[in-house]
Amino acid sequence: MDDLPDPHFRELIHPHTGDVTRVRRPASGFSSDYAAIIHAEHGQFFVKGMFNDPGARLESLTKERDIAPFVQSVAPQLMWSVDGEGWVILGFEVVDGRMASFDPGTTDLPAVIEALNHIAKIPVPTVALDWIEERWDTFADNESEAELFRGATLLHTDINPSNIMIGTDRTWVVDWSWPTRGAGFIDPATLVVQLISGGHTPAYAESWAAQCHAWEAADPKALDAFAKAMWRLYRQRAIDFQAEWLGAMEEAAHTWVRYRIDGA
């Protein structure tokens, strides 16, 4: 009836939700083992769960739990969490918003830029000091270029339309699964590739990124290095996973590299 994964899951969340009356599963877009909007005796909650197996997938959820108190000004509030033998589960407030549009003609980009500038101003909490951004290092030309990705800015690192919710009077950035500490231009740079993939020209995409304070302060050589590293990362993932969306992102990233490096 309620589409919960198993009795253990139900038992773990019951102290926080009470009896579950209805479950609405998202159509797509979540990398957790379970995600749903749960209507229950104690209210509505957006619930994310991972099997309690050590590894990167579980680490993404525990990082989201740990960073949640520090990003409440821009993210949905974490209402509760449980750590059980079989599951680790987070329960967030349900926000009243829609997924942002990155398509040509969208009017959402000012709100997106405001959100990115807001994130860049959040002090890096102690819990995140050791979350040094390194995922693009192996795709840089050399160690010197990889060092350009270091910094003291809190990063979301997964800026895409499904992770930005536009409401009537505010914007939320959701899915803080991969927060890190690094160069402030990285979040705006991921936006650039998303906008190109959405149908915008590289020049137009960069004109929006340029409205982010961290982009304005960035060394152009660092942006060139990151563009190349991002393209190589997507190229490798497109080969490894053969997913259509990864192929589209690889193409968008390559378009950005040709614009920055070759002037194409």
Side-chain angles (χ1 to χ4, degrees):
M1 177 193 73
D2 51 32
D3 197 25
L4 297 178
D6 57 48
H8 178 52
F9 189 100
R10 183 195 305 273
E11 178 184 356
L12 288 172
I13 69 171
H14 189 270
H16 304 284
T17 65
D19 293 339
V20 173
T21 57
R22 185 161 65 94
V23 172
R24 179 157 55 92
R25 298 294 303 274
S28 61
F30 297 100
S31 58
S32 50
D33 293 316
Y34 181 84
I37 294 177
I38 289 180
H39 300 253
E41 183 181 359
H42 300 330
Q44 298 181 42
F45 307 94
F46 177 70
V47 173
K48 297 177 68 171
M50 288 285 193
F51 296 126
N52 198 351
D53 298 322
R57 284 172 57 77
L58 179 59
E59 182 183 4
S60 72
L61 194 72
T62 57
K63 281 188 172 182
E64 186 167 10
R65 177 195 64 200
D66 293 345
I67 201 64
F70 306 99
V71 296
Q72 288 187 27
S73 58
V74 72
Q77 182 178 359
L78 177 63
M79 308 298 289
W80 49 264
S81 66
V82 291
D83 192 335
E85 182 178 347
W87 289 92
V88 176
I89 310 167
L90 309 183
F92 294 91
E93 68 170 322
V94 176
V95 299
D96 185 13
R98 59 170 176 79
M99 187 178 77
S101 170
F102 285 5
D103 296 335
T106 179
T107 59
D108 291 344
L109 296 184
V112 173
I113 297 303
E114 183 179 1
L116 294 190
N117 279 328
H118 186 105
I119 292 170
K121 294 178 182 178
I122 298 174
V124 178
T126 301
V127 69
L129 289 177
D130 292 334
W131 299 351
I132 299 170
E133 182 50 67
E134 298 176 331
R135 82 197 68 188
W136 286 280
D137 286 11
T138 58
F139 300 98
D141 282 347
N142 49 57
E143 291 185 9
S144 295
E145 284 199 353
E147 282 298 314
L148 298 173
F149 309 155
R150 306 290 181 264
T153 300
L154 179 65
L155 302 172
H156 180 278
T157 74
D158 192 16
I159 301 300
N160 67 69
S162 66
N163 283 342
I164 300 178
M165 303 295 293
I166 306 293
T168 302
D169 56 4
R170 68 165 293 182
T171 302
W172 296 269
V173 181
V174 305
D175 197 6
W176 285 77
S177 298
W178 304 107
T180 56
R181 178 173 66 84
F185 66 78
I186 289 178
D187 276 350
T190 63
L191 173 66
V192 167
V193 177
Q194 290 287 335
L195 291 177
I196 295 171
S197 181
H200 300 279
T201 67
Y204 184 82
E206 284 199 358
S207 75
W208 281 99
Q211 298 179 48
C212 293
H213 308 314
W215 181 278
E216 290 182 301
D219 184 340
K221 292 181 180 179
L223 298 177
D224 292 346
F226 189 76
K228 290 184 295 181
M230 178 171 280
W231 167 47
R232 292 163 183 159
L233 181 146
Y234 276 124
R235 181 177 60 184
Q236 187 61 56
R237 288 186 176 175
I239 292 170
D240 291 343
F241 299 104
Q242 298 293 307
E244 183 177 350
W245 74 271
L246 285 170
M249 293 306 300
E250 187 271 337
E251 181 178 354
H254 194 201
T255 298
W256 188 33
V257 168
R258 293 199 306 268
Y259 172 77
R260 287 204 63 87
I261 308 301
D262 303 327

